[in-house]
Amino acid sequence: MDVKELKKIIDMVTDTDIVEFEMENSDQKIVIRRGRLAGDISVGYKSAVQAEQVAVAATSPPGQEIPPQTVATAVEGTKDGLEKIKSPIVGTFYRAPSPDSPSYVEVGDVVEKGQVFCIVEAMKLMNEIEAEFKCRVKEILKENAQPVEFGDILFHVERI
Amino acid sequence: MTWSFSPESMATRIVCSRLLFLGTTESTNLVARQLAEEGTPEGTVVLADCQTGGKGRLGRPWLSPPGVNFYGSVVLRPAVLPRKAGQITFITSLAAAGALRDSFSVEAQVKWPNDILLNGKKIGGVLNELCASQEKINYLVLGLGVNLNMTCDQLPERELFPATSVMLEQGEAVSRELFARNYFQLLDRLYFRYFEEGFSSLRKEWESYCGMIGRRVDMDAEGRSVSGEVLGIDEEGFLLLRGQDGREERLLSADIRLIHD
């Protein structure tokens, strides 16, 4: 199941009064369970090849923390020891701050914690994706100015 | 630059919790982001008289001469998922257009995604910057530049969209402070309305301020040309367009030009 299909199911459940939703077949199981705060839901998704957790929280008043059940990560390990850097928003992927600037990173570059990998832009909202740990860029999976979905893998990196 | 307002005098709940007035700075967004990294409280505002490196989308320069315009940034830390942040950014252009209307009785409008127009010309632009992991927003900086008292010879020569200022349209200089106060107060109210009423309430108001609904436009969208009629924005803030072949499209990034029949 891809992220789009999962999002569709989450949206369907969010739009109803369903408190708990479970779906299982031979190779995957999905459990969606609403939290105590109105509108909050948590989602568990397991498949034969990977385990992934995604959670969404409905809008809450400013200053109110997102409940700790929100456990999705932007970085995820792979079998060959590489880690995935994913897009946190739907948007357009940019490898440089402006068309005539050099790219933030190239394959083979060592990236320090806090250094910027790229920008994902949506509706004039510029989201700089920063490294959460020191790593080496092994693969860049998107082209400059390409549209990306929420959760799309942008880079494979090797933790140093 | 002399500003006479203070956090105490603003009657806002979050916006202007802390105020920083600068003379000349590279960019108010840059300062706001540095303060945000250092843990400044939500609602911190950075205002400058002049920017030496003001910028817009894709690093395009935003001319920011001293003494004439509004350049300001606000640090927010909304407790929503990063993919919802796009919705919140619509409060910037809505508050700017509303404050122009309230302050100077002009018919300011918004242009998708986040420009401010007066008499069909660009009068303000925004640059919103997000720092987030996939599940949590660390901070969101809402940056705004509005041409208030710019003269003809100060306007950018070559722009994608024709530019103007309030003074050029009204024929007299206007108060920066009046605009700033109204903008921050409106931004504060809209921010709370987003949490209390949801995005659909803001979306309707934003659409009522948008002079492009029902108009035909040419767009450069993600590297391809698109023409069609603007239908509005959807729940995520994407532009809804009916193409010449009658099919509806959702766009999330584009440069737009109105077609003048």
Side-chain angles (χ1 to χ4, degrees):
Chain A
M1 172 171 291
D2 64 24
V3 172
K4 268 188 186 171
E5 290 171 307
L6 188 59
K7 181 180 181 302
K8 206 170 174 182
I9 294 174
I10 293 169
D11 289 343
M12 277 165 54
V13 173
T14 310
D15 290 338
T16 69
D17 294 320
I18 294 171
V19 174
E20 192 165 337
F21 172 87
E22 199 166 317
M23 188 174 96
E24 188 169 13
N25 59 26
S26 57
D27 58 5
Q28 60 186 21
K29 179 180 180 180
I30 296 166
V31 181
I32 301 177
R33 195 174 292 123
R34 285 182 184 265
R36 286 179 189 171
L37 293 169
D40 287 347
I41 64 170
S42 68
V43 182
Y45 167 53
K46 283 187 178 180
S47 73
V49 286
Q50 61 172 3
E52 186 172 52
Q53 281 197 297
V54 181
V56 297
T59 53
S60 52
Q64 184 177 330
E65 287 299 314
I66 295 171
Q69 65 190 12
T70 310
V71 289
T73 54
V75 182
E76 189 182 300
T78 62
K79 275 187 246 172
D80 49 9
L82 299 182
E83 306 204 38
K84 303 169 183 172
I85 308 298
K86 294 177 164 188
S87 178
I89 59 172
V90 179
T92 306
F93 173 80
Y94 290 108
R95 290 190 54 198
S98 67
D100 47 4
S101 305
S103 294
Y104 286 112
V105 295
E106 300 287 354
V107 171
D109 283 0
V110 171
V111 177
E112 298 292 334
K113 184 182 176 187
Q115 197 178 325
V116 176
F117 284 113
C118 65
I119 287 177
V120 179
E121 185 217 354
M123 298 169 292
K124 285 202 180 178
L125 173 63
M126 316 305 283
N127 185 8
E128 286 185 349
I129 313 292
E130 294 178 358
E132 293 178 10
F133 48 81
K134 187 176 179 181
C135 59
R136 186 186 305 276
V137 179
K138 300 297 282 186
E139 195 178 2
I140 301 171
L141 289 98
K142 300 289 179 185
E143 298 292 329
N144 190 51
Q146 186 181 345
V148 295
E149 293 291 326
F150 166 72
D152 273 3
I153 303 165
L154 308 175
F155 299 90
H156 280 142
V157 300
E158 179 183 37
R159 195 184 279 261
I160 298 176
Chain B
M1 181 169 65
T2 53
W3 299 93
S4 62
F5 60 99
S6 61
E8 296 73 32
S9 71
M10 285 299 288
T12 50
R13 285 186 277 184
I14 280 186
V15 176
C16 293
S17 61
R18 181 183 171 198
L19 274 163
L20 195 65
F21 301 116
L22 303 173
T24 298
T25 190
E26 184 178 341
S27 137
T28 56
N29 263 33
L30 199 62
V31 177
R33 286 175 56 186
Q34 283 165 352
L35 291 171
E37 293 282 351
E38 292 162 10
T40 197
E42 182 176 39
T44 295
V45 162
V46 179
L47 275 170
D49 181 50
C50 169
Q51 294 184 119
T52 55
K55 59 177 183 170
R57 183 169 174 255
L58 305 181
R60 291 171 187 154
W62 183 264
L63 281 183
S64 312
V68 287
N69 292 340
F70 172 92
Y71 319 112
S73 302
V74 183
V75 177
L76 296 177
R77 301 182 191 277
V80 299
L81 286 175
R83 60 196 179 87
K84 297 277 188 188
Q87 294 180 333
I88 297 175
T89 63
F90 282 84
I91 69 175
T92 320
S93 53
L94 189 51
L100 284 166
R101 291 180 180 204
D102 293 347
S103 307
F104 313 124
S105 303
V106 292
E107 277 301 301
Q109 294 188 319
V110 292
K111 169 175 168 276
W112 186 86
N114 263 312
D115 284 337
I116 301 99
L117 305 182
L118 185 56
N119 300 334
K121 288 169 267 187
K122 185 162 169 172
I123 198 163
V126 309
L127 184 67
N128 299 310
E129 298 188 83
L130 177 69
C131 176
S133 59
Q134 194 162 14
E135 77 280 12
K136 186 176 183 297
I137 292 175
N138 297 324
Y139 60 84
L140 173 63
V141 169
L142 305 181
L144 174 72
V146 180
N147 300 341
L148 295 176
N149 294 317
M150 238 177 175
T151 55
C152 257
D153 55 353
Q154 288 176 314
L155 287 175
E157 281 179 13
R158 292 181 64 190
E159 272 284 324
L160 292 165
F161 210 81
T164 191
S165 71
V166 177
M167 187 175 77
L168 287 171
E169 298 299 311
Q170 292 283 84
E172 58 183 3
V174 294
S175 162
R176 287 195 295 184
E177 173 147 342
L178 177 63
F179 172 78
R181 279 175 172 275
N182 284 334
Y183 169 66
F184 291 127
Q185 283 171 346
L186 197 45
L187 196 70
D188 190 72
R189 286 205 299 274
L190 290 170
Y191 186 50
F192 277 85
R193 210 173 97 195
Y194 171 78
F195 289 101
E196 287 156 7
E197 298 175 23
F199 181 61
S200 55
S201 148
L202 294 181
R203 186 183 72 165
K204 284 177 195 137
E205 188 162 347
W206 193 92
E207 285 180 338
S208 76
Y209 274 58
C210 180
M212 305 186 90
I213 312 286
R215 301 280 300 273
R216 284 179 56 226
V217 292
D218 267 339
M219 305 175 62
D220 177 12
E222 294 136 29
R224 67 197 171 93
S225 294
V226 182
S227 293
E229 178 193 347
V230 176
L231 301 175
I233 57 173
D234 72 5
E235 264 303 306
E236 292 178 88
F238 288 31
L239 186 74
L240 298 172
L241 192 80
R242 184 183 290 120
Q244 287 172 323
D245 58 3
R247 279 175 32 198
E248 277 190 28
E249 285 211 54
R250 283 173 90 223
L251 297 162
L252 62 87
S253 178
D255 289 320
I256 304 180
R257 293 174 301 280
L258 273 172
I259 296 175
H260 297 284
D261 295 316

